[in-house]
DNA sequence: AGCCGTAGCCATACACCGTATGGCTACCGT
DNA sequence: ACGGTAGCCATACGGTGTATGGCTACGGCT
C-alpha cells in the first residue's frame, strides 16, 4: 500500500464519489469525464480504475449515494394528507439538490431497479391510510410517484410556464400536491372531504 | 448543383432526418453518430454538414418532426372527461412510437421551449370545460402535462411495477387518467361527481 | 463558346472520450 | 533480504464531433 505518488494520501472511493458528484452537479452528467475527474483529483486518469470498475459503475455509485440522502420525514401521528405532502417536499428537496443527476437517474432504466430505499416503506402506509384498497395500492403508488417525478423533471428543465420564478415553482408544486390529495380523497374516501380540507391551506392568489 | 457522387441522387434533409430518426428509434439517442448516420446514407460524414448545421441542430430538427406527428383527436361535442382521456391516449401513442427520442426531449431544457404545437390549443379548452378557473388554468395545465410526461417516462424506463406487461401498463395509464379526472372534478366541480361518473367506466379488477 | 461561381462531396486532421495493456515504485510480511 | 502487491502512471487504440480546405461538375453569365 504505497503512499500516493503525486498526492499526499492515496485515493479513496469516497473522495472519488464526492468529486464526481460535484462535477455532475456543476455541469451535468455529460460534463463528467474520467479525464476531468482525474484532473480534479490531481491524478492520472488510469489511477481511477484501481478504485472504480468503470465510468458507468461510478455513476451508479454516485446515484446510490444521492438516493441515500433522501431525508424521509417521520410524522407518525399526523393525518395522511400532511404526511403525503411532507414526503413530496422531501422528495422535491432531493431533486433540487442534485438536479442533473436526479434527471439522469429517472431516465435510465438500469438504475433504481428496485424501489428506492425507505421511500416506499413510508409511501405505501400513507396511501393505505388514504383508503386506497390493497389491490390498487402498488399501481397507485407507481402512478403518483411517476407524477411527482414528471413534475420535478419538467420544472428543472423549464418545460413549464413562462414564469420560472421560484415562487411560481412552489405554487405549482402545491397545486400538484393538492390535485393528488383531491384525487385520492375523491376516489377512495369521498366523505372525508368536508369543503376544503387539508388540500386548501395557504394557497395564494396565483396571478401566474 | 452536381449530382451525388457515389449515390444516385443528392442528399436531402428529409432523407437525413428520416434516417436519423430511425437510428435513434433503434438504438437510442446515444446510438446516433454522424459517422454512423453517414454510413447508413452511404455518404462521407462531412457531407452531412452541407445540409445540417450540427449534430444538435439535427436532433432539434428530428424532435420537431416527431412533435408534429402528434395526432390530436377532435371530439367537439363530447364531455370534457372523454376529450381529456382521448388527448392523454394520443400523447401516449406518440411517446410509445418514439420512446427514446421522446424521453430525450423531455429531459433537455433547450428543446420544446415553446409549448408544443396544437396540443395546448386543445388542452386548455378542455380544462376550462372542467371548471378550472382562469387564474389557475396555465398552472394546472403544466402540472397535468408534467404528470403524464412523468408517467410515460417511468413506464418506458421500467421504473414501475414488477409486472411490466402491456396490460399492466394500460391499466396503470387508466388509473392515472382516473386520478386526474377525479382530482379535477373534486377541485373544480364537486357537484358534478354523482357517485362514480365518467372516471369509473371500464376499469378492470386489477389484481396486479 | 468560354468561363466562373458555387453546390455538393470528400480526405485529412484535431481534440476529446473510455479504457486495455503493461511497467514502475514503495511499502508490507516473512 | 526479498518477494508480493497496492497504488500509480505512460502509452495506445478505436471511437466521437467537426474545422479546414480541396475536388468535381453543373447553371448561368458574357
Amino acid at each position: 500500500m504505497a503512499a500516493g505518488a503525486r498526492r499526499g494520501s492515496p485515493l479513496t472511493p469516497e473522495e472519488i464519489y464526492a468529486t464526481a458528484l460535484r462535477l455532475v452537479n456543476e455541469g451535468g452528467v455529460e460534463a463528467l469525464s474520467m479525464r476531468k475527474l482525474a484532473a480534479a483529483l490531481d491524478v492520472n486518469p488510469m489511477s481511477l480504475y484501481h478504485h472504480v470498475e468503470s465510468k458507468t459503475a461510478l455513476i451508479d455509485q454516485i446515484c446510490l449515494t444521492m438516493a441515500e440522502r433522501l431525508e424521509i420525514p417521520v410524522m407518525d401521528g399526523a393525518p395522511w394528507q400532511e404526511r403525503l405532502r411532507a414526503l413530496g417536499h422531501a422528495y422535491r428537496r432531493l431533486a433540487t439538490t442534485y438536479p442533473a443527476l436526479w434527471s439522469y437517474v429517472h431516465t435510465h432504466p438500469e438504475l433504481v431497479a428496485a424501489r428506492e430505499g425507505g421511500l416506499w416503506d413510508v409511501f405505501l402506509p400513507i396511501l393505505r391510510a388514504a383508503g386506497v384498497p390493497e389491490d390498487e395500492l402498488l399501481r397507485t403508488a407507481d402512478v403518483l410517484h411517476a407524477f411527482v417525478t414528471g413534475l420535478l423533471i419538467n420544472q428543472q428543465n423549464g418545460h413549464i410556464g413562462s414564469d420560472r420564478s421560484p415562487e411560481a415553482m412552489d405554487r405549482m408544486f402545491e397545486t400538484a400536491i393538492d390535485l393528488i390529495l383531491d384525487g385520492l380523497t375523491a376516489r377512495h374516501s369521498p366523505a372525508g372531504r368536508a369543503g376544503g380540507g387539508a388540500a386548501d391551506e395557504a394557497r395564494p392568489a396565483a396571478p401566474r
Side-chain angles (χ1 to χ4, degrees), chain A:
Chain A
M1 196 186 298
R6 80 168 54 180
R7 296 154 32 93
S9 57
L11 225 41
T12 68
E14 289 69 28
E15 204 183 352
I16 295 179
Y17 301 151
T19 308
L21 194 48
R22 184 170 57 81
L23 289 184
V24 168
N25 248 27
E26 287 169 2
V29 179
E30 74 280 2
L32 174 67
S33 86
M34 298 305 270
R35 289 170 151 92
K36 285 182 196 161
L37 176 58
L41 288 165
D42 192 24
V43 141
N44 183 285
M46 291 312 292
S47 302
L48 298 172
Y49 286 87
H50 281 264
H51 308 270
V52 155
E53 194 182 355
S54 67
K55 187 186 179 182
T56 62
L58 171 66
I59 293 181
D60 287 8
Q61 194 53 241
I62 65 178
C63 286
L64 272 184
T65 71
M66 178 188 70
E68 284 169 4
R69 296 189 191 168
L70 174 64
E71 294 169 7
I72 298 178
V74 279
M75 307 171 59
D76 278 347
W80 67 266
Q81 288 92 340
E82 288 183 25
R83 284 192 284 157
L84 190 54
R85 190 181 296 271
L87 188 59
H89 281 127
Y91 206 57
R92 186 186 181 210
R93 216 170 303 126
L94 183 70
T96 52
T97 307
Y98 309 99
L101 191 57
W102 195 90
S103 284
Y104 184 85
V105 169
H106 286 275
T107 49
H108 282 73
E110 63 278 12
L111 308 170
V112 204
R115 289 188 161 67
E116 320 169 17
L119 171 62
W120 297 83
D121 296 340
V122 177
F123 193 18
L124 295 183
I126 294 179
L127 292 185
R128 279 199 195 90
V132 180
E134 209 61 29
D135 61 349
E136 290 193 21
L137 194 65
L138 288 179
R139 193 167 62 250
T140 304
D142 279 337
V143 168
L144 294 185
H145 176 240
F147 278 5
V148 176
T149 292
L151 182 64
L152 292 173
I153 288 180
N154 276 271
Q155 283 198 344
Q156 288 174 357
N157 294 342
H159 278 189
I160 248 176
S162 43
D163 178 4
R164 292 177 202 174
S165 65
E167 298 78 22
M169 294 296 165
D170 292 348
R171 260 181 281 131
M172 192 173 315
F173 197 78
E174 297 310 320
T175 300
I177 302 278
D178 290 344
L179 257 165
I180 288 176
L181 291 182
D182 283 337
L184 283 176
T185 305
R187 278 185 82 67
H188 302 297
S189 51
R193 186 184 155 77
D200 280 336
E201 76 209 7
R203 193 146 26 81
R208 201 247 161 76

